[in-house]
Amino acid sequence: MKKTTLIKEGKAKRLYNTDEKDLVWVEYMDQATALNGKRKDHIAGKGELNNQIDCILFEQLVAKGIHTDFVQKLSNNEQLNRKVKIIPLEVVVRNAASGSFQRKFDVSYLQAFDQPVVEFFYKSDELDDPFINTNQAIALKIIDLEESQRLEKMALEINQILKERFAKAHLQLVDFKVEFGKTADDEIVLADEISPDSCRLVDLTTKESLDKDVFRKKTGDLVTVYQEVLNRLNNSQEEVHV
Ligand code: UDP
């Protein structure tokens, strides 16, 4: 397997074609962005940490039966994925109040929910990724009703698996964002990345933040915190039977 032409460079990853037409080569970069890309920092080591964390989480999800675009880890900062067409929605799942939910409804930080909350945001840099409900997404022909139900169901299953995996690492999964894509044969699969860039994680006991909030709020060193997440996942490694 060889990487060939560059398909695109995103905020944190480079995507390459390969000599297999249905596979893409993903390279995680040492870059952190905040405020929808308005703040950009080079952070040595970040790409390797996110890729390693993402590989552990996707391997776990695959083992538990979630259909994804993940194929295999290639190196500490590279992985192989199936080629998909990304559905332009950020699907957020929340187990407790934080971030935009906390601001919007003025509730206390980490207020727990009886059941997880699923929200959709429309992926658009020009519009600043606005909140979008199911009817709006259907009106804009982004998804149909059946697909929206499928996305919500998959997002909740992913939440359950990730919540349990992080709990083994003594971490509480407060909320996270995922993206889905369609394969060449029109199957919806989990795609993109799951890492401390896209999850809110707090220590189960101390409630200390171990995610990108330390970069957004400038409260700590991103590499130290992401390394801690990776160490905890490695030290609580599960038997994965694929
Ligand atoms: N999130 C993300 N990318 C985005 C926006 C949000 O990965 O462009 C993640 C974020 O890290 C958090 C969850 O989605 O885990 C919910 O984010 P929220 O809506 O609270 O927005 P925020 O306050 O983080 O901007």
Side-chain angles (χ1 to χ4, degrees):
M1 177 74 47
K2 274 201 324 266
K3 68 178 175 193
T4 56
T5 47
L6 179 71
I7 303 172
K8 77 170 224 174
E9 176 169 324
K11 288 178 192 142
K13 296 185 285 286
R14 278 191 202 105
L15 229 64
Y16 295 90
N17 280 308
T18 65
D19 42 9
E20 286 266 356
K21 81 169 175 30
D22 293 330
L23 298 179
V24 290
W25 187 293
V26 186
E27 188 183 292
Y28 279 63
M29 303 188 294
D30 284 343
Q31 189 157 283
T33 58
L35 309 168
N36 236 335
K38 288 178 203 89
R39 196 177 135 216
K40 218 181 243 186
D41 284 4
H42 179 267
I43 299 182
K46 173 174 178 284
E48 292 202 351
L49 289 166
N50 272 357
N51 182 55
Q52 290 177 89
I53 292 168
D54 180 87
C55 288
I56 293 174
L57 298 175
F58 268 76
E59 278 165 11
Q60 177 73 15
L61 290 163
V62 169
K64 297 275 184 186
I66 302 292
H67 292 192
T68 80
D69 68 345
F70 182 78
V71 178
Q72 69 177 89
K73 182 177 171 188
L74 292 167
S75 73
N76 277 352
N77 74 328
E78 294 162 304
Q79 59 175 268
L80 201 59
N81 288 176
R82 287 158 79 188
K83 194 178 264 181
V84 297
K85 195 166 181 311
I86 292 286
I87 297 169
L89 291 176
E90 299 199 331
V91 180
V92 168
V93 184
R94 304 178 188 276
N95 297 302
S98 186
S100 64
F101 186 99
Q102 190 197 347
R103 286 192 297 276
K104 191 169 180 178
F105 300 111
D106 192 22
V107 288
S108 41
Y109 177 55
L110 299 188
Q111 176 184 308
F113 304 140
D114 290 341
Q115 48 187 46
V117 174
V118 180
E119 295 172 1
F120 293 155
F121 293 84
Y122 180 35
K123 265 169 70 80
S124 161
D125 284 341
E126 303 85 74
L127 301 175
D128 238 358
D129 299 347
F131 175 86
I132 186 168
N133 75 13
T134 301
N135 290 314
Q136 292 168 333
I138 294 169
L140 295 176
K141 300 193 188 303
I142 299 168
I143 42 169
D144 62 25
L145 182 61
E146 197 189 314
E147 288 169 341
S148 89
Q149 288 163 348
R150 174 113 197 94
L151 292 185
E152 189 165 325
K153 183 166 177 281
M154 281 181 82
L156 289 170
E157 286 166 1
I158 293 161
N159 180 49
Q160 194 55 38
I161 296 164
L162 292 180
K163 227 168 61 171
E164 287 168 15
R165 182 66 188 88
F166 280 122
K168 291 200 165 73
H170 207 70
L171 291 165
Q172 179 188 345
L173 178 60
V174 177
D175 57 34
F176 65 96
K177 181 270 296 180
V178 281
E179 294 181 22
F180 294 88
K182 279 190 185 172
T183 60
D185 48 6
D186 237 21
E187 191 200 356
I188 292 183
V189 295
L190 175 66
D192 195 50
E193 165 181 356
I194 306 178
S195 73
D197 271 6
S198 56
C199 298
R200 278 204 175 84
L201 299 166
V202 297
D203 181 273
L204 269 180
T205 317
T206 66
K207 305 296 176 192
E208 167 203 3
S209 273
L210 288 144
D211 57 48
K212 197 173 162 187
D213 272 353
V214 302
F215 174 77
R216 290 192 189 98
K217 299 180 183 165
K218 302 189 175 175
T219 51
D221 177 56
L222 184 144
V223 167
T224 310
V225 163
Y226 285 26
Q227 184 69 58
E228 171 75 18
V229 172
L230 177 61
N231 293 348
R232 288 192 191 196
L233 287 170
N234 277 331
N235 294 336
S236 56
Q237 195 71 270
E238 284 202 336
E239 286 281 302
V240 174
H241 303 284
V242 185

